[in-house]
């Protein structure tokens, strides 16, 4: 499989990178709307995305950006977890985006953290089928974990992986525990869209912010394509845009602000 060089943009600060990511999503929405077909999105959650969704909400309010015909599939959700749990990605997406825009609730899907253990495999298959029915994804918005994960595809995830239940890496649990409200514990499992599903998307945008992401960003973009750093699989995709702030770009050989 041939590798490609992602288009890497180093922005002066986190806010500029988040704004640029929001603009890329907005562009997909506008193009699809002009063609009168639904935009099919893959969406991440996490600290990096808060400002991206904030900017999309601003564009909806001030610039008339519409989400009316969006079909969206979130990358992941903790398991087991209820949709109103303070750590739940369902709750984060509602609070950060869906409660503030004109999306149709039926068009917004996420892996279900309440599914029973016995039903997990069928649920994951059904999620893939829902994506396939309207897909491929037009655009996937990704963050990156310090383990190199995209979605919750932790080290060792295969290139052919699909939506499934995974055990989270201890480093991911520790990182995400820092964002957790007092008294809540980060689950050690999650449901995640697979690498193969992500790589089938037409276009991908990865956003990484902060010095704590610098080393893994360099390994993902400039290291070998390897299951140890699942974000390195992005080198196999022909249309990847990477948006970094200066700190996240600081270990890249090509890390000068462009
Ligand atoms: C979450 C997801 C993860 C995060 C990653 C970075 O939906 O897909 O891959 O994008 O863990 O998280 P933050 O932005 O909190 O550093």
């Amino acid at each position: 499989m041939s590798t490609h060089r992602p288009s890497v943009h180093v922005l002066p600060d986190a806010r500029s990178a988040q704004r640029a990511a929001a603009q890329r999503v907005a562009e997909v929405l506008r193009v699809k709307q002009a063609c009168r077909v639904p935009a099919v999105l893959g969406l991440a959650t996490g600290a990096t995305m808060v400002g991206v969704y904030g900017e999309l909400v601003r564009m909806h309010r001030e610039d008339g950006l519409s989400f009316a015909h969006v079909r969206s599939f979130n990358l992941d959700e903790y398991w087991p977890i209820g949709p109103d749990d303070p750590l739940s990605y369902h709750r984060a997406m509602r609070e950060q985006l869906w409660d503030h825009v004109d999306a149709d609730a039926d068009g917004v899907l996420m892996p279900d953290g309440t599914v029973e253990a016995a039903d997990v495999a069928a649920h994951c298959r059904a999620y893939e089928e829902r994506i396939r029915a309207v897909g491929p994804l037009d655009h996937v918005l990704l963050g990156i974990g310090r383990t190199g994960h995209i979605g919750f595809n932790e080290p060792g995830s295969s290139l052919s992986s699909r939506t499934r239940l995974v055990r989270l890496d201890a480093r991911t649990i520790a990182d995400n525990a820092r964002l957790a409200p007092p008294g809540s514990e980060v689950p050690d499992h999650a449901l995640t869209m697979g690498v193969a599903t992500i790589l089938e998307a037409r276009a991908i945008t990865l956003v990484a912010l902060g010095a704590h992401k610098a080393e893994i960003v360099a390994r993902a973009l400039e290291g070998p394509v390897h299951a140890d750093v699942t974000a390195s699989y992005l080198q196999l995709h022909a249309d990847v845009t990477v948006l970094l702030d200066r700190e996240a770009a600081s270990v890249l050989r090509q890390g000068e602000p462009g």
Side-chain angles (χ1 to χ4, degrees), residues 6-229:
S7 163
V8 180
H9 302 264
V10 184
L11 285 303
D13 52 36
R15 205 168 141 60
S16 311
Q18 290 167 320
R19 222 182 278 143
Q23 275 159 10
R24 287 186 60 78
V25 175
E27 184 60 19
V28 175
L29 298 189
R30 290 191 180 112
V31 166
K32 290 285 164 172
Q33 203 166 23
C35 303
R36 297 181 176 282
V37 290
V40 186
L41 302 179
L43 297 176
T45 41
T48 310
M49 296 302 149
V50 176
V52 178
Y53 297 138
E55 177 64 7
L56 284 169
V57 170
R58 188 202 63 75
M59 287 170 152
H60 170 68
R61 287 190 179 140
E62 296 176 16
D63 308 336
L65 180 69
S66 175
F67 290 75
H69 301 293
V70 162
R71 304 298 308 265
S72 95
F73 296 88
N74 264 80
L75 291 163
D76 41 27
E77 175 60 292
Y78 292 117
W79 184 88
I81 203 164
D84 296 321
D85 189 289
L87 284 172
S88 154
Y89 287 164
H90 278 74
R91 179 165 172 172
M93 288 305 297
R94 285 198 311 272
E95 291 181 351
Q96 292 168 28
L97 183 63
W98 300 128
D99 282 355
H100 312 286
V101 297
D102 59 342
D104 178 353
D106 293 342
V108 171
L109 287 182
M110 298 185 68
D112 181 358
T114 70
V115 75
E116 295 292 332
D119 300 329
V120 162
H123 176 68
C124 293
R125 267 197 310 278
Y127 198 65
E128 285 286 331
E129 276 158 25
R130 297 291 290 270
I131 296 172
R132 206 166 304 126
V134 292
L137 302 167
D138 291 308
H139 184 262
V140 181
L141 190 55
L142 296 176
I144 182 171
R146 288 203 299 169
T147 59
H149 68 218
I150 47 176
F152 274 141
N153 293 286
E154 297 286 24
S157 298
S158 86
L159 199 47
S160 59
S161 56
R162 295 285 173 183
T163 302
R164 68 203 185 286
L165 180 66
V166 293
R167 177 184 283 278
L168 294 172
D169 191 286
R171 289 167 292 175
T172 299
I173 295 172
D175 280 351
N176 291 6
R178 274 191 235 128
L179 306 171
S184 49
E185 212 170 289
V186 176
D188 58 5
H189 283 77
L191 300 166
T192 184
M193 193 184 283
V195 174
T197 321
I198 293 170
L199 291 186
E200 279 164 8
R202 293 187 214 277
I204 297 173
T205 299
L206 176 94
V207 190
L209 308 173
H212 62 299
K213 298 287 176 74
E215 197 192 319
I216 199 66
V217 164
R219 287 179 68 197
L221 300 183
E222 295 177 342
V225 176
H226 197 280
D228 282 352
V229 179

